[in-house]
Amino acid sequence: MRIDVLTLFPQVFESPLSCSILKRAQDEGIVEVVLTDIRDFATDNYRKVDDKPYGGGPGMVMMPGPVFACFEHVQKLSPEKGRVILLTPQGQRFDQRKATELSKERRLILIAGRYEGFDERIRIGLDAEQTSIGDYVLNGGELAAMVIIDAVVRLLPGALGDEDSAKDDSFSQGLLEYPQYTRPEVFRGMKVPDILLSGDHGKIAEWRKQQAIERTRKWRPDLLEDSK
Ligand code: ADE
């Protein structure tokens, strides 16, 4: 997969992309992430990318010119057309189902905005789908884009050491994940459930499924409603 990110702050992405699973996935050629600075496509001497809103009001709006020029440049970097996603709190809510859907694409083009928002002609002209990572307002789309990259890359074949690891993740079956334990067997008086030490894989699988259902009912009953 190739992921292009259009942003005014490429440096926001550098640390998360340079460690752990995301680093390994790039080193192994499972994903290529290319950051492009929208400001490089500003046309005036001040490298201006935002301006006051027509009609008045607080804050600044991202100008269409630099974003269009940046997008047109990025699109030509690869023959794959790509799925174009604008990060905005006005978008459809990102979830595990969406992560799975995006993980099947060959190319994503993520556009992160700053300031009070994008000039409306950016959304219309680029025919971009809008995605939000939750009902709260961030200072910009960068962290939202990073969340999407993280959630999508772990689903790419080979990205996790163990092929099965993502299958049991919370939400992947519409349920929270079952409880996990590792050594020691007893910690501060709390014991690992006997069933996990029994070696009976059928019973363990059954217990885990029950636990997943129980926790979901207790902590996130909305997930059970959603799957009906
Ligand atoms: N930009 C600002 N807030 C956002 C959010 N919640 N999701 C995606 N992009 C954003």
Side-chain angles (χ1 to χ4, degrees), residues 86-94 111-115 118 130-145 148:
L86 211 55
L87 284 313
T88 155
Q90 299 173 31
Q92 293 259 313
R93 186 101 59 83
F94 183 72
I111 308 175
R114 278 270 152 175
Y115 315 116
F118 296 102
Q130 304 184 89
T131 299
S132 162
I133 62 160
D135 293 342
Y136 39 79
V137 178
L138 302 167
N139 289 314
E142 287 78 17
L143 294 178
I148 291 178

Side-chain angles (χ1 to χ4, degrees), residues 135-184:
D135 293 342
Y136 39 79
V137 178
L138 302 167
N139 289 314
E142 287 78 17
L143 294 178
M146 198 56 243
V147 163
I148 291 178
I149 294 169
D150 193 286
V152 168
V153 170
R154 62 181 277 110
L155 298 175
L156 299 179
L160 301 179
D162 176 351
E163 267 315 295
D164 287 333
S165 319
K167 264 203 331 249
D168 287 341
D169 280 351
S170 284
F171 313 112
S172 55
Q173 320 276 337
L175 297 171
L176 299 181
E177 196 184 16
Y178 50 77
Q180 298 272 26
Y181 292 87
T182 184
R183 283 189 288 190

Side-chain angles (χ1 to χ4, degrees), residues 32-51:
E32 182 185 6
V33 183
V34 180
L35 306 170
T36 304
D37 191 338
I38 297 170
R39 200 174 292 278
D40 291 343
F41 297 84
T43 48
D44 71 338
N45 288 340
Y46 303 101
R47 310 220 315 147
K48 190 175 168 66
V49 290
D50 61 324
D51 210 333

